[in-house]
Amino acid sequence: MKYDSSEDRICFSPAIEALHKATFARAKPNRVREGTRTGPDPDGKTPFLDAFERMPDAPYAVCLAHGIVDSWLESPIIIDPTDLLVGAPRPLRVLFEHFSWGIQYHEELFDDPAYAPQRESIQARIEKQANRLFPLTKEHIRSEGIKIFGSEELYDSLDSSLWWVGGYQGHTVPSYPELLKLGLSGTMAKIDRYRAEHPDAETLYDALEILLKGMSRWILLYAEESEKLASIDPQHAARYRLIAKNCRDISWNAPRTLFQAAQLAWFYALWDWVDCIGRADQFFYPFYSAEADPAVPFSREEIIQAFWLRGFEHGFHNITLSGVHSDGSDATNELTYLMLQTCRALHETHPRVSVRIHENSPEELLALVVRMWSEGMSDPTVVSDANVLKGLNRLNIPIEDARDYCMLGCQEIEIPGRSNWGCEDGSFNLAKIFELAANDGKCRKTGRQIGLKTGKLVDFHSIDELWDAYIAQMKFFTKHFIDLCNRGVEIRDANLSKLVKMLYTLPCIERGLNPDAGGPLYNPGVVETAGSSAVADSFTAIDTVVFRQHRMTMETLDKALAANFKGYERERLLLLNAPKFGNDHPLADQYCRRVLDAFWDEIALYRSKRGGPFTGACSLLEAGITYGKNTWAMPDGRYAGEPLGNSIGPRTGADHNGLTAMLNSVSSLPLDKGVGGTTLNVLLPAELLKSEPLRRDIAQVIRSYLMNGGQMAQITTASREEMLDAKVHPERHGDLIVRIGGFSIRFVELGETSQDEIIARYA
Amino acid sequence: MNEIIGNVFDIQRFSLHDGPGIRTTVFLKGCPLHCAWCHNPEGLRPEPQILFRPERCIGCGDCGICPNDAHSLKDGLHRFERSRCIGCGQCAEICPANALTLTGKSMRVTDVMALVRADARYYENDGGVTLSGGEPAMQPDFSHALLKSAKEEGFHTAVETSGCVDFERLRPLLPVTDLFLFDWKHSDAEQLMRYTGASLERIRANLLTLDRLGAQIILRCPIIPGVNDVREHFNGIIEIAKSLRGCQAIHLEPYHALGLSKAAQLGVKHSFTPSTPTAESMEEMRQNLSQCLAVPVMIS
């Protein structure tokens, strides 16, 4: 078939159909990424603890590397007769390493029968090794925070009301092109070459060598197991022998065929926690377009689909397709379309897919994307090359590298294979800053003095005076926020949390530095914001109602806010009906620009501990709900505790001027200063996409938005009625996919607050 | 010319159903017809009117500003004496709850064009501006000036018309209109007069004249169960469509009840409440018409 035609749909071959069925049978019903438990059940083992105990005098890096290797070698080798590509994750264990913080302690697993009987003995062993297992903990951030604010209680009260400091997941995209070019042996040669240049990094190189050789041994375990299966299961012997040979071929040497490349990529992805993999249609393409190995009985299409199904089963976070080559020409290829068609045929929430759109993107590409939305998928997210490249230029990233950017994490951005952007270093609630600025630095809920004494509402005689107070609070807290975020970097650095990623993050090996210590080429800091639209709408409402229309005094406003609008419904409605961001209204949009400019310019003055400047991001939804709970009533008419707006878009339900007006508002924002990734959730109810002319119109709107200042759009196509029914009858709507923050998610798996927030977007 | 003032009751951006592409639809106030099923009752009368939504009223009494004392609060109940209202809009201006809103606004061509231009980036080749109503031909000077401005800026222009006006009001629009969305509501003169107050003769003559003068036309046929979902009318649609040179398509528009709530807000009593046609019956009509016509028949 022609992959680029929206009219044609892909049909799985019998081999892929069998694999598809087997994969779905294995997949756990709960597919929320962070809660995913795929792979084997907990097994009661403690490889990390064992490694540290076994080598009491060895450096942390070496023990960590051995722990990682052992944790894989001690995991079950699982091969199914339907498999084309093999490799299963490790069982969950009380201790495991993760790229976010280093070795993580999951005490809740002591409730699992595999660990329950050993609870006390393991706890005692961990306690004994704690200093070695966890060189730094989050206490490193907290103790600094308590020092700054002089009070434990005060500092803790800021957590998840004003900010969230020190980082989250810490996604980065390793260089799959480098992995596939060098294989493990080539990487070993590179380590040997640079080891001599950096004697101070000796233990780091030792650790990388342990990882590489350990990974190779683990891959051989798959070969051996497969050979064993071939000897006892004659019916599937051919398949098993093929898998065994493929594993042996790449267990040390670089891949030469697509089949080998896909297998090696999958093995490494597993060690990298099936994190984001970057531009898969680009790095697989040389193998895809090369001559096929006649000894391999699978087509190129089948191999790519087998890889995709692995990504589905274990939840690849983000795959980026299309975009441009380093010379700026269109990078869309046959693989782009094959991957999209595979994604379309699966109709799943994972792997999540982003498609880069630029001025020369083929019409067929966007047509296929819109067609997928029309069929009820929220993938792919579309991203604007024009806007992102402008933002990357601000960070002084050379254009050739900038053109290679990809999406990762929820909806963040980086240059794959040579970056650590923190992803993210923290998030910051601008609405809480506003609350403090409008109340002399006091929290309205607790009355506690948190911020600077910048005056009460009644002290301000112009909107500019209020603005100045807001800026003063924002600058004050930003300084401490950045400081604390950098403490998070110190933790990751000390804990070598990205040791596995370091193998393929350029030029860490060349520099002898780990990814949290400036090893990568690009090291900006990224911080998320929440509440930008709430703050903009609050300024707009006060400016309009108090200072322009003179329909309310600051005194009354102050009382109304203090009362959470109880007894002040008239005042609340006046504020609520003032212009709101998201309607192409000049005043409201201008305030939103100023709010974001102010914060993003401020953070750009600071540098990440990793070395690069800070840039903004905004792709929160759950955080908008959490922060909202801890933010008092606002002059935009919002009650205390209500959710703040979602991501970079308008306050939920505040845009009533149509999609184009909303897109105009958003694309007028300085999104290039938020090149960490600013998500916009766009509702396109299925009836807007039901016919070909309508889909063409929508494609045109989306393209115009992306070419004129918009950064990205992620789509929800569910209708309000469907969602309301899904709340009552979740069993009937298992396939309802919606978008929150950066996630595609099954509606029925969301909590009620999140469900209501999404439904309210339709109001 | 751009200072010419029109009476506009709504401007709807991101319209997908009023002509090709992405459009901005400008609704002009005042209509010569009074269709029983009218879905834009606020477009009927030419003068500004107050829409009142009692369920939004919080009883604050701010509307006491009315110079004619049309609003009164008694026992917490808001009474609006419409007969006293002169449509000055002061109450709507001040109502914090948007329980009172003014429909009908004097706008200059330049004001409207600024809004039309705001979405220019989404129009590309085929999108643009549509005049609807009400009846755009009731304000021929304004409509002409607006369409001319839009054309000069390269936007596609469309006019939705009932056709029930003196042709001299339609004629000036012809050179500045790329597409006429021409209503064809009933093919029986008596029935048409009964339900809409319009003259079929005049409409037919105007349609044929527009066609003869080279207009591009889409026929828009509202389907009102119990009124015009009859074989004779479908035959009438086929007959008139076949007699046109510039007919591009037929749009069937199923009745919807959205006009009823607006009528209530205007204080207009409505006794005509037909049912909403089912999707299946609409599709059947579409197919039946399609078989007899060379032009596409669509449900919008």
Side-chain angles (χ1 to χ4, degrees):
Chain A
M1 71 171 274
K2 270 186 81 221
Y3 298 132
D4 60 1
S5 160
S6 304
E7 294 312 311
D8 299 337
R9 296 180 66 90
I10 221 164
C11 281
F12 290 144
S13 70
I16 293 298
E17 201 43 66
L19 179 63
H20 185 196
K21 269 200 189 120
T23 303
F24 269 66
R26 283 194 299 266
K28 299 284 194 294
N30 179 5
R31 303 205 194 88
V32 181
R33 176 58 161 80
E34 309 310 339
T36 301
R37 276 178 66 167
T38 58
D41 289 329
D43 61 0
K45 291 180 180 174
T46 54
F48 286 91
L49 203 43
D50 301 344
F52 278 81
E53 285 171 344
R54 197 168 68 232
M55 298 171 284
D57 301 316
Y60 172 74
V62 169
C63 293
L64 174 66
H66 276 297
I68 294 171
V69 168
D70 294 351
S71 74
W72 286 101
L73 294 178
E74 292 174 22
S75 293
I77 303 298
I78 302 167
I79 304 172
D80 191 87
T82 59
D83 281 342
L84 276 67
L85 303 173
V86 292
R90 295 167 289 186
L92 282 186
R93 293 172 176 143
V94 284
L95 290 183
F96 57 79
E97 109 294 346
H98 186 269
F99 52 77
S100 51
W101 296 102
I103 296 176
Q104 301 197 338
Y105 185 9
H106 280 259
E107 286 186 272
E108 76 277 5
L109 278 182
F110 282 125
D111 297 334
D112 190 281
Y115 283 99
Q118 318 174 63
R119 180 191 293 259
E120 272 152 40
S121 68
I122 293 179
Q123 277 173 345
R125 289 167 63 202
I126 290 175
E127 196 155 315
K128 225 169 146 194
Q129 296 289 335
N131 289 343
R132 298 183 66 220
L133 285 166
F134 320 109
L136 282 181
T137 65
K138 289 183 190 174
E139 195 51 36
H140 181 65
I141 303 174
R142 188 164 172 269
S143 62
E144 175 70 13
I146 293 167
K147 219 160 67 191
I148 293 171
F149 291 95
S151 144
E152 220 168 291
E153 199 201 352
L154 174 54
Y155 172 73
D156 289 342
S157 78
L158 303 179
D159 197 33
S160 75
S161 69
L162 176 63
W163 60 33
W164 191 6
V165 286
Y168 312 83
Q169 288 284 318
H171 302 284
T172 66
V173 178
S175 176
Y176 280 85
E178 177 88 346
L179 167 73
L180 300 181
K181 187 175 94 190
L182 298 184
L184 305 189
S185 62
T187 312
M188 193 59 234
K190 204 163 105 175
I191 289 170
D192 286 338
R193 190 174 143 212
Y194 286 97
R195 196 194 286 266
E197 281 184 27
H198 304 287
D200 49 325
E202 187 60 28
T203 57
L204 208 45
Y205 287 117
D206 287 346
L208 294 180
E209 178 172 354
I210 293 163
L211 284 187
L212 273 180
K213 292 185 170 164
M215 191 185 296
S216 177
R217 263 173 63 207
W218 175 72
I219 294 174
L220 285 173
L221 290 184
Y222 271 90
E224 287 159 15
E225 177 68 16
S226 209
E227 278 150 8
K228 200 174 94 196
L229 287 169
S231 69
I232 58 176
D233 181 358
Q235 194 198 337
H236 302 111
R239 174 73 66 94
Y240 286 130
R241 272 196 290 272
L242 192 71
I243 288 170
K245 179 175 183 311
N246 205 32
C247 291
R248 278 194 191 285
D249 285 341
I250 49 128
S251 65
W252 193 239
N253 292 325
R256 285 169 294 107
T257 66
L258 181 65
F259 191 37
Q260 293 174 356
Q263 180 62 72
L264 181 60
W266 177 244
F267 276 142
Y268 179 72
L270 276 172
W271 280 49
D272 189 34
W273 276 94
V274 198
D275 197 13
C276 314
I277 61 168
R279 306 179 70 191
D281 61 339
Q282 305 302 308
F283 65 70
F284 275 135
Y285 192 72
F287 297 94
Y288 180 82
S289 55
E291 210 165 305
D293 178 354
V296 174
F298 306 119
S299 70
R300 303 179 300 174
E301 182 180 293
E302 286 172 318
I303 294 165
I304 292 296
Q305 288 171 342
F307 184 80
W308 205 269
L309 279 162
R310 280 296 183 195
F312 155 70
E313 184 176 4
H314 302 294
F316 267 135
H317 227 82
N318 218 320
I319 294 178
T320 306
L321 301 177
S322 189
V324 293
H325 294 297
S326 62
D327 64 0
S329 61
D330 176 40
T332 313
N333 59 35
E334 190 174 303
L335 209 36
T336 315
Y337 291 109
L338 169 56
M339 286 177 165
L340 283 175
Q341 292 281 11
T342 303
C343 186
R344 179 185 182 195
L346 278 177
H347 196 87
E348 272 299 334
T349 54
H350 284 88
R352 291 217 328 276
V353 179
S354 306
V355 170
R356 289 175 43 180
I357 300 293
H358 55 89
E359 62 175 342
N360 296 318
S361 293
E363 247 171 65
E364 298 80 14
L365 181 64
L366 200 50
L368 180 55
V369 166
V370 176
R371 187 63 185 253
M372 289 168 74
W373 297 339
S374 79
E375 290 163 359
M377 288 193 71
S378 80
D379 281 296
T381 289
V382 285
V383 193
S384 162
D385 277 8
N387 182 269
V388 172
L389 292 179
K390 194 172 157 202
L392 294 172
N393 186 44
R394 273 184 180 279
L395 297 179
N396 290 322
I397 292 172
I399 183 71
E400 294 77 15
D401 273 5
R403 284 173 175 148
D404 192 35
Y405 83 89
C406 72
M407 307 303 294
L408 73 162
C410 284
Q411 279 312 335
E412 285 82 15
I413 294 165
E414 68 156 47
I415 313 300
R418 41 212 188 279
S419 298
N420 182 1
W421 295 34
C423 195
E424 301 74 26
D425 291 302
S427 71
F428 195 76
N429 179 9
L430 295 171
K432 191 73 184 178
I433 293 288
F434 184 93
E435 180 187 325
L436 298 175
N439 196 35
D440 204 23
K442 285 198 192 80
C443 171
R444 284 237 186 225
K445 191 172 176 186
T446 62
R448 193 190 275 123
Q449 186 76 38
I450 293 177
L452 305 172
K453 294 195 165 194
T454 49
K456 295 181 175 187
L457 269 186
V458 290
D459 300 328
F460 303 126
H461 302 292
S462 72
I463 196 76
D464 292 341
E465 287 176 27
L466 175 60
W467 176 263
D468 291 345
Y470 168 78
I471 293 297
Q473 300 282 2
M474 186 272 287
K475 282 177 182 268
F476 170 74
F477 281 104
T478 300
K479 179 174 177 296
H480 296 312
F481 172 64
I482 296 286
D483 189 21
L484 294 168
C485 284
N486 275 332
R487 297 285 155 159
V489 179
E490 290 171 359
I491 301 174
R492 293 156 193 251
D493 176 18
N495 293 357
L496 295 177
S497 63
K498 293 189 173 53
L499 194 62
V500 171
K501 286 179 182 290
M502 182 178 169
L503 283 168
Y504 297 102
T505 303
L506 300 169
C508 288
I509 292 176
E510 288 84 338
R511 289 178 175 176
L513 295 171
N514 88 67
D516 281 296
L521 204 49
Y522 304 114
N523 299 287
V526 174
V527 289
E528 296 268 3
T529 54
S532 53
S533 58
V535 175
D537 291 345
S538 292
F539 273 113
T540 310
I542 297 178
D543 195 350
T544 307
V545 178
V546 177
F547 292 111
R548 292 175 195 238
Q549 300 174 342
H550 305 290
R551 299 195 61 193
M552 198 186 300
T553 62
M554 283 298 229
E555 207 165 7
T556 309
L557 174 63
D558 191 48
K559 284 183 190 154
L561 289 175
N564 191 16
F565 296 116
K566 204 165 172 215
Y568 291 89
E569 182 62 1
R570 176 179 170 276
E571 284 70 23
R572 193 184 78 88
L573 287 170
L574 274 174
L575 297 163
L576 193 66
N577 289 322
K580 294 280 178 279
F581 171 71
N583 294 291
D584 210 0
H585 189 283
L587 187 67
D589 291 2
Q590 177 215 294
Y591 272 117
C592 202
R593 278 196 294 279
R594 282 177 70 186
V595 165
L596 288 171
D597 263 330
F599 183 62
W600 287 346
D601 288 345
E602 184 67 15
I603 57 170
L605 301 175
Y606 294 90
R607 290 193 91 77
S608 161
K609 192 91 187 190
R610 289 184 299 273
F614 273 93
T615 184
C618 187
S619 59
L620 301 166
L621 184 117
E622 291 286 6
I625 292 171
T626 314
Y627 281 137
K629 280 187 185 142
N630 297 314
T631 306
W632 195 251
M634 299 272 288
D636 61 352
R638 171 190 156 282
Y639 289 114
E642 284 192 313
L644 298 167
N646 82 74
S647 298
I648 201 72
R651 169 87 191 287
T652 299
D655 55 317
H656 37 70
N657 232 351
L659 179 63
T660 51
M662 192 272 274
L663 294 178
N664 281 356
S665 288
V666 173
S667 56
S668 79
L669 300 176
L671 300 179
D672 53 309
K673 293 181 185 175
V675 77
T678 57
T679 300
L680 177 69
N681 286 296
V682 178
L683 291 174
L684 290 177
E687 59 266 27
L688 280 190
L689 297 162
K690 67 183 178 198
S691 75
E692 185 50 40
L694 285 174
R695 287 194 289 270
R696 215 193 51 216
D697 290 344
I698 294 296
Q700 193 169 298
V701 168
I702 294 293
R703 186 189 281 266
S704 298
Y705 161 72
L706 293 176
M707 293 303 115
N708 289 285
Q711 191 184 78
M712 65 179 93
Q714 55 180 20
I715 307 300
T716 295
T717 56
S719 74
R720 189 165 183 273
E721 290 66 33
E722 271 179 284
M723 289 190 285
L724 286 173
D725 194 55
K727 278 188 74 179
V728 187
H729 304 290
E731 70 283 359
R732 294 181 197 161
H733 296 276
D735 62 342
L736 197 58
I737 298 174
V738 295
R739 217 53 201 222
I740 61 164
F743 290 96
S744 296
I745 199 166
R746 279 166 200 286
F747 183 80
V748 295
E749 287 165 4
L750 285 168
E752 194 169 2
T753 318
S754 295
Q755 288 186 336
D756 290 343
E757 205 278 346
I758 293 176
I759 291 170
R761 289 187 214 161
Y762 284 81
Chain B
M1 192 171 87
N2 288 344
E3 298 301 309
I4 296 178
I5 286 175
N7 191 1
V8 176
F9 72 89
D10 197 8
I11 295 182
Q12 194 186 323
R13 296 164 66 169
F14 188 54
S15 292
L16 293 168
H17 300 289
D18 294 326
I22 306 296
R23 311 192 70 83
T24 298
T25 304
V26 182
F27 293 88
L28 302 186
K29 208 157 160 21
C31 183
L33 272 57
H34 42 83
C35 305
W37 54 82
C38 179
H39 63 271
N40 277 335
E42 73 273 44
L44 279 173
R45 304 178 67 89
E47 72 276 6
Q49 287 167 285
I50 291 292
L51 294 168
F52 176 43
R53 297 172 177 82
E55 73 281 6
R56 288 188 180 176
C57 177
I58 56 166
C60 67
D62 283 5
C63 46
I65 194 171
C66 176
N68 276 2
D69 296 328
H71 299 284
S72 58
L73 270 174
K74 218 177 230 169
D75 304 326
L77 262 184
H78 183 157
R79 223 176 125 235
F80 176 29
E81 275 181 79
R82 200 170 278 281
S83 57
R84 305 179 81 102
C85 177
I86 54 163
C88 70
Q90 289 184 56
C91 61
E93 183 80 10
I94 206 160
C95 175
N98 282 349
L100 297 164
T101 49
L102 184 72
T103 179
K105 196 168 147 190
S106 296
M107 293 182 82
R108 293 175 306 167
V109 170
T110 39
D111 304 330
V112 178
M113 278 308 293
L115 282 169
V116 169
R117 220 173 281 127
D119 278 358
R121 63 169 74 154
Y122 305 104
Y123 299 155
E124 294 247 324
N125 304 324
D126 50 357
V129 60
T130 299
L131 301 195
S132 180
E135 170 56 62
M138 294 274 279
Q139 302 182 44
D141 296 344
F142 178 73
S143 293
H144 174 258
L146 183 54
L147 293 165
K148 187 160 179 284
S149 280
K151 281 245 58 97
E152 280 165 5
E153 298 197 21
F155 307 141
H156 181 276
T157 55
V159 170
E160 189 185 6
T161 179
S162 66
C164 191
V165 289
D166 185 328
F167 189 76
E168 292 316 307
R169 287 168 177 256
L170 277 173
R171 191 190 296 278
L173 307 188
L174 190 59
V176 287
T177 303
D178 294 318
L179 177 67
F180 282 90
L181 304 163
F182 200 104
D183 294 346
W184 192 258
K185 302 182 195 219
H186 213 305
S187 311
D188 179 283
E190 217 167 285
Q191 293 288 314
L192 185 69
M193 180 59 78
R194 178 175 158 210
Y195 282 104
T196 73
S199 149
L200 184 61
E201 267 328 291
R202 173 180 248 186
I203 291 173
R204 188 198 305 272
N206 284 346
L207 177 57
L208 294 173
T209 312
L210 274 182
D211 185 60
R212 186 165 47 77
L213 295 175
Q216 295 298 304
I217 294 163
I218 288 178
L219 286 182
R220 299 190 115 191
C221 309
I223 301 299
I224 320 294
V227 175
N228 62 9
D229 56 342
V230 290
R231 176 185 297 273
E232 292 75 15
H233 179 47
F234 295 132
N235 289 339
I237 294 173
I238 293 165
E239 190 185 324
I240 191 75
K242 281 185 172 167
S243 68
L244 299 172
R245 289 180 303 178
C247 180
Q248 298 182 339
I250 314 285
H251 286 176
L252 302 181
E253 301 178 313
Y255 169 77
H256 60 76
L258 294 181
L260 292 180
S261 64
K262 280 188 278 184
Q265 291 160 19
L266 285 164
V268 177
K269 295 252 181 332
H270 240 291
S271 52
F272 185 79
T273 50
S275 59
T276 309
T278 62
E280 295 76 44
S281 65
M282 288 302 300
E283 181 55 28
E284 198 186 322
M285 292 175 215
R286 191 193 70 76
Q287 284 184 11
N288 288 342
L289 281 172
S290 267
Q291 284 168 5
C292 306
L293 286 166
V295 294
V297 182
M298 286 172 276
I299 299 165
S300 54

